[in-house]
Amino acid sequence: MTLKLPLLWLLAAVVYAFLYVPLAVVVLFSFNDSALNAGWVGFTTRWYELLLADADMLSAAANSLLVATVASIAATILGTMAGLAIHRYRPRLLPALVLTPVAMPEILLGVSLLLFFRQVLDLTLGLASIVIAHITFSIGFVAIVVRARLQGMDEAIFEAARDLGATPWRSFRHVTLPLILPAIVAGALMAFTLSIDDFVITFFTAGVGVTTLPLQIYSMIKVAVTPEVNAVSTLLMALTLTLIAVAARIAPESIRARG
Amino acid sequence: MKPTRSVGHGQRGKAAGMRSRLSRWLVAAPPSLFLALFFLAPSLIMAGASFRFPGELGGLAPLTASAAHGSDHGLTLEAYAFVFGDWVYLWICLKSFAIAAVTTLACLALAYPLAMLIAASPRKRRDLLVLLVILPFASNFLVRVYAWMIVLGPMDLLYTQTAVLIAMVYVHLPFMILPLYINLEKHDPALLDAAQDLGANAWRRFWHVTFPLSLPGVFAGSALVFIPVLGMFAVPELLGGTRDILIGNLIKEQFLDNRDWPLGAALSLVLTAMVLALAWGTLRLARARTRGLA
């Protein structure tokens, strides 16, 4: 292309700076030896020490991990089924059921589940309601990745398995599953990240007693901005980076699927 | 399998047919049932709740009259009368729309040059530049909002409309960059060469070739930014002042603070209608454009 590249590079540099500077400030201040988020005083790790001694924060982190593990396993199974069903059987309703929760504003899913759990099921909100909510919005992401993988494959392979007399289960177990496994892993990692990161839907489905990490961060920054939040934010960024690196190793398409 | 092959074929065919119907059901039913129960049913109940009376202690009033509750029961349009009767609600809906529109335009302005640059880069550098767009997007949503609390605090911009807009753009920018880049990457450079040979300058080449071809990407990115911004409540709550609330904040307030669920449900339905209208409009526009080009 014959573009004015220097000008484009300049604009791009501005956008990248816009993307990274705020996060860099958070990381920087997490090591700053001052209770105020203004001006560099000196290096310290005491905010991390404070964080690791914070019982509320640790139990919130444990809840987050538990919810993300259970929800991502269930969402991966259901999402893989949905992806397979949509690709193979072209059902009429399922695509809308799977994709609408992904496309609509999160708050709508959050409040409708709140209403449903409290008014219809009369369920006390807690870990169970959070897990169900997370499964509901993650299924679509897994299904999209799995379906994309199936679309890229040659149908003749599955026909061959059928012609050779394989039962549906055998052809799934020995042909389909190995072929779509990278997509399933990618979908699982995505579901896990989405669950551990989710704030809005958790906010409405958590009830009073239970917190997750994002809820804990929210209640902290609503009250006051403290360096402890910088520390937990930095740790969360490190965790997500690790997950992305792992995803890129195991299943390179997971990175692309995010787009 | 061997000698009886021709004889057993019909029967096996029937058995296989049944098996495939069974497996179809086994694969499609669990996700369908789960989503029907936890997505479709709650959505319908939400729609129904908007026509109910609020309960005395929050929640919904009973549908039928009972001795204990002598008060309101049954169905009503009260919540809608309230929403459409008070200009404050309409004003906040309009403002949410305006904020979403400004955010979308700002994202487009920032994303377009970057997406063009990424699409024009050599393949190896392209992947790196895309990864650099995704990475900050992968950090927690609240962390990204919080980062602006720290940055804007000393600038005296915290708790203002400007702060809300900056964070909205920040949080949603990758949703605009990625679809645009995916679209621009597919353009055939020969088209630009042809335009140049025909004497079009860079400005004309952009507006008459690149931009019209990129419209599907523009629409996709705009929908991905506009819709979530429309329902956002956390950004105005954390970075905005009391006057900067949006429709998402109203909904949250009704469900968690005032506990007027019918009003909350009615507001949610208004938001749903706004989103549907928007999705429909975008689809129509996108279709009309592609037809015009074909």
Side-chain angles (χ1 to χ4, degrees):
Chain A
M1 272 201 232
T2 49
L3 297 162
K4 294 202 176 67
L5 277 175
L7 180 68
L8 270 189
W9 272 111
L10 185 72
L11 288 169
V14 171
V15 175
Y16 279 119
F18 176 64
L19 286 175
Y20 281 90
V21 167
L23 295 176
V25 171
V26 172
V27 175
L28 191 71
F29 276 139
S30 78
F31 295 105
N32 188 16
D33 198 4
S34 156
L36 300 169
N37 282 313
W40 180 258
V41 176
F43 180 85
T44 182
T45 54
R46 73 177 153 125
W47 306 118
Y48 290 89
E49 286 154 30
L50 200 68
L51 190 66
L52 293 176
D54 186 337
D56 289 344
M57 191 66 93
L58 291 180
S59 85
N63 282 338
S64 277
L65 276 178
L66 180 68
V67 167
T69 308
V70 178
S72 62
I73 291 171
T76 304
I77 295 170
L78 291 170
T80 304
M81 286 174 153
L84 272 169
I86 292 173
H87 177 74
R88 198 158 287 174
Y89 307 122
R90 319 232 166 250
R92 244 182 303 163
L93 263 178
L94 191 58
L97 278 180
V98 164
L99 294 178
T100 320
V102 172
M104 69 188 205
E106 287 180 284
I107 191 171
L108 291 175
L109 188 62
V111 292
S112 65
L113 278 170
L114 166 69
L115 187 71
F116 184 66
F117 288 139
R118 294 296 301 125
Q119 193 74 30
V120 181
L121 301 185
D122 200 19
L123 187 82
T124 309
L125 298 178
L127 287 177
S129 55
I130 303 176
V131 167
I132 291 173
H134 284 199
I135 297 171
T136 308
F137 72 75
S138 302
I139 288 178
F141 288 92
V142 180
I144 292 169
V145 183
V146 168
R147 187 173 169 234
R149 174 93 184 173
L150 282 165
Q151 275 175 331
M153 283 186 322
D154 189 354
E155 280 301 309
I157 308 169
F158 308 113
E159 277 162 31
R162 258 199 308 277
D163 290 347
L164 290 167
T167 61
W169 168 250
R170 273 177 67 90
S171 93
F172 173 74
R173 174 74 189 75
H174 295 284
V175 181
T176 315
L177 185 62
L179 282 172
I180 62 172
L181 197 59
I184 295 178
V185 173
L189 285 166
M190 222 156 134
F192 188 87
T193 334
L194 285 167
S195 168
I196 220 159
D197 266 351
D198 180 73
F199 163 67
V200 175
I201 291 166
T202 317
F203 184 70
F204 289 103
T205 50
V208 268
V210 181
T211 43
T212 62
L213 216 41
L215 291 187
Q216 182 70 17
I217 294 177
Y218 176 74
S219 59
M220 284 175 88
I221 58 182
K222 264 229 91 167
V223 182
V225 173
T226 70
E228 203 187 335
V229 179
N230 298 334
V232 70
S233 303
T234 306
L235 285 181
L236 264 179
M237 275 185 245
L239 176 77
T240 324
L241 283 183
T242 317
L243 277 175
I244 290 184
V246 171
R249 262 287 153 82
I250 305 178
E253 55 260 58
S254 69
I255 302 285
R256 231 150 277 154
R258 274 175 174 266
Chain B
M1 242 213 152
K2 282 152 264 167
T4 52
R5 191 188 169 112
S6 56
V7 185
H9 196 83
Q11 235 170 10
R12 212 176 46 226
K14 211 184 266 173
M18 261 179 68
R19 259 204 312 251
S20 85
R21 231 171 304 140
L22 179 70
S23 58
R24 171 186 175 147
W25 199 83
L26 281 176
V27 172
S32 305
L33 289 176
F34 187 93
L35 290 168
L37 182 62
F38 292 113
F39 165 63
L40 191 60
S43 304
L44 295 175
I45 287 163
M46 169 81 87
S50 67
F51 298 104
R52 302 270 294 267
F53 284 103
E56 275 164 45
L57 300 166
L60 305 175
L63 270 176
T64 51
S66 66
H69 303 273
S71 62
D72 298 330
H73 61 271
L75 299 175
T76 174
L77 286 170
E78 203 180 56
Y80 289 98
F82 205 74
V83 172
F84 292 107
D86 193 337
W87 65 269
V88 171
Y89 290 104
L90 287 178
W91 170 243
I92 290 177
C93 286
L94 282 176
K95 196 170 68 176
S96 305
F97 223 87
I99 294 267
V102 173
T103 305
T104 307
L105 286 176
C107 281
L108 192 60
L110 286 175
Y112 212 105
L114 184 59
M116 272 176 85
L117 179 84
I118 299 177
S121 298
R123 177 155 274 290
K124 236 186 141 177
R125 197 192 289 152
R126 219 187 282 174
D127 287 348
L128 176 71
L129 290 174
V130 170
L131 188 67
L132 282 175
V133 170
I134 297 172
L135 279 185
F137 171 51
S139 70
N140 188 282
F141 162 71
L142 285 172
V143 171
R144 281 176 286 152
V145 175
Y146 168 73
W148 284 102
M149 293 176 84
I150 301 189
V151 173
L152 296 176
M155 298 168 147
D156 269 337
L157 278 172
L158 207 47
Y159 311 122
T160 62
Q161 185 100 277
T162 316
V164 173
L165 274 171
I166 291 174
M168 288 286 202
V169 171
Y170 185 70
V171 167
H172 297 96
L173 189 55
F175 290 117
M176 184 66 88
I177 297 175
L178 295 176
L180 269 182
Y181 152 71
I182 288 168
N183 173 284
L184 288 169
E185 186 204 33
K186 286 187 294 201
H187 290 192
D188 186 350
L191 287 171
L192 288 176
D193 293 340
Q196 190 167 22
D197 292 346
L198 291 169
N201 59 23
W203 183 252
R204 280 179 67 91
R205 286 200 298 278
F206 176 78
W207 284 111
H208 292 275
V209 181
T210 307
F211 188 73
L213 281 176
S214 72
L215 279 174
V218 172
F219 288 132
S222 299
L224 287 176
V225 174
F226 206 106
I227 290 171
V229 173
L230 213 46
M232 184 67 77
F233 77 93
V235 170
E237 195 156 288
L238 292 168
L239 293 172
T242 41
R243 295 182 58 232
D244 298 320
I245 59 166
L246 303 177
I247 187 166
N249 302 81
L250 287 180
I251 295 173
K252 180 227 148 195
E253 226 166 69
Q254 299 314 320
F255 275 96
L256 297 182
D257 308 331
N258 297 349
R259 299 199 29 90
D260 185 342
W261 285 10
L263 183 54
L267 287 166
S268 302
L269 254 75
V270 171
L271 175 57
T272 310
M274 284 162 82
V275 170
L276 287 177
L278 210 82
W280 183 76
T282 317
L283 266 179
R284 274 201 61 138
L285 241 130
R287 271 201 201 127
R289 288 303 312 194
T290 29
R291 215 177 295 134
L293 287 171

